[in-house]
Amino acid sequence: MSNFAAIDVGSNAMRMAVGRFNARGELSVIASCRAPVRLGRDVFRGGAISSAVMEQGIAAFAEFEMMLNEYRVTRYRAVATSALRDASNSAEFIQRVERATGISIEVISGDEEARLVYRAVAERVPLSRGTTILLDIGGGSCEVTLIERGSVIFAESVNMGTVRLLEMVRGASRDQALLERLIRQYAMRVRKRLKMTKTQGRITKIVGTGGNIDALGELRRDVLGESSARIVKRSELRQLQHLISGMTIEQRISRLGLRPDRADVIVPAMTLLRGVMDEVRADTLLIPKTGLRDGVLLDLFAKGRVDSSASALSRQIGRVRAAALELGRRYQFDERHALHSASLALQIFDQTRRLHKLGVEARGLLEIAALVHDIGYFINSTDHEKHSAYLIRSSSLVGLSPEQVEFVATLVKFHRGSLPSGKDEEFAALPSKQRKAVKVLSAILRLVEDLDREHSQRLKTLRISVRGEKLTMRLPARRPLLVERWGLQKHKKALEEALGVGIEVV
């Protein structure tokens, strides 16, 4: 049985977990360790990691290396979040760790962090009904994800982590007052962002992840005498905040049993959590006791499975569809055209499957690309395909990996204008298998643009037949489709070359 490992290089600490999956795909963490290396203190105060803290980090990774060997880990992923995203000397730290231990660290974006946390939470909390807010409070950033009936509507990463907040207010004459003002402004921003989103109803659940939130659940049980550490009510949070804020750090350690590197950041975590709960009027916080490391482990396992194709990938793309539509609405796209384009693209994909031999993942990513291919018009109609690709890369499509987001952006970039070629750096950087897929799928998008060129949705269905090296495309419609046929004749060459057939439009 294979063992997997996840390493989380956070702003407040570094953590590692070794996991194993049973035959049903259920995760068991068989070993874990935590190194109290606070990268964020240096980075958020001075912009760089000090030499002393860098040495501590390298020593922590030496322990992680021993665990990798001891548990005979077959696959691992080491991810770094806010502190290394911001550190001016992060590249030096990453290189020194790799030279000393052979472990490669990947600095991930806030969107990727949110995706991995969402993946972990979805394994433990039913998200298919109602509207849920997922709040992940870290040392350097806070990720807020809005989930509606299992689909991510939006995710946002903000530099509002607990260590960062401490460093922002440290030395101020009224630390707590300044802290609360900063957090109140952020919580109001969350509420305004939610109001802008077309949700089906009020927030039904708020779910919290991160070490501080887990600690609050344990304080609820141990200090307030409640039976469960898996929830915290807003009224209980007020009690804990009043109690803990009045203690010194030493008292929090001695009386409450908090670790030294938890005793100071617990206060901004409570203030941040309460601010968001007050703004969205949530009375109870669910604490699933999972997070980034579990999400990394689940991701590693899924990528290594041969049977993770059809059903799992279909569910994944289904969850992303709502986020793609929300992204389009944010940039004022023509929603009817986008939905119609996706329908036509899938019709062409399905009826040419014998030629391109692409699978479920490619089909799903084609659908997402078709939904968002025109959002670049928000910036400028000239070269809008390039603007669309830029917006996709810089926006949140939680549920897609960074590689999948890049694939979608590349598809969209070539849905008009120049054809994919090795002269384009982004296309050339893709693996050969993906380059072939981009040529096929972007060619399909080109034809879809012609089939709804006037955004009138006149053509609902099309019929494709293949005999030998000839593909016949029939356009059944009540009215002549002169513009559509002209466009197909002009742009069919890209798909002919990608599929190796001649195309006749009748």
Side-chain angles (χ1 to χ4, degrees), residues 6 17 21 27 29 116 119-120 124 289-299:
F21 293 84
L27 170 64
V29 175
L116 292 167
R119 178 157 203 159
R124 300 198 181 185
K289 300 247 181 199
T290 190
L292 181 60
R293 285 177 302 162
D294 288 350
V296 171
L297 290 171
L298 290 163
D299 221 37

Side-chain angles (χ1 to χ4, degrees), residues 486-501:
W486 173 82
L488 288 178
Q489 292 293 345
K490 184 178 179 182
H491 296 123
K492 67 179 182 177
K493 184 178 179 181
L495 189 60
E496 287 177 328
E497 292 181 351
L499 298 180
V501 294

Side-chain angles (χ1 to χ4, degrees), residues 343-357 363 444 460-467 471-474 476 495 499:
S343 172
L344 293 174
L346 295 182
Q347 289 183 53
I348 297 173
F349 181 95
D350 291 341
Q351 294 181 63
T352 57
R353 192 187 300 270
R354 185 167 63 84
L355 295 173
H356 58 66
K357 297 181 174 62
R363 185 183 192 274
I444 290 175
K460 304 300 182 184
T461 61
L462 64 157
R463 297 285 179 266
I464 294 175
S465 59
V466 180
R467 288 188 179 181
L471 182 153
T472 302
M473 185 176 295
R474 293 178 172 82
L495 189 60
L499 298 180

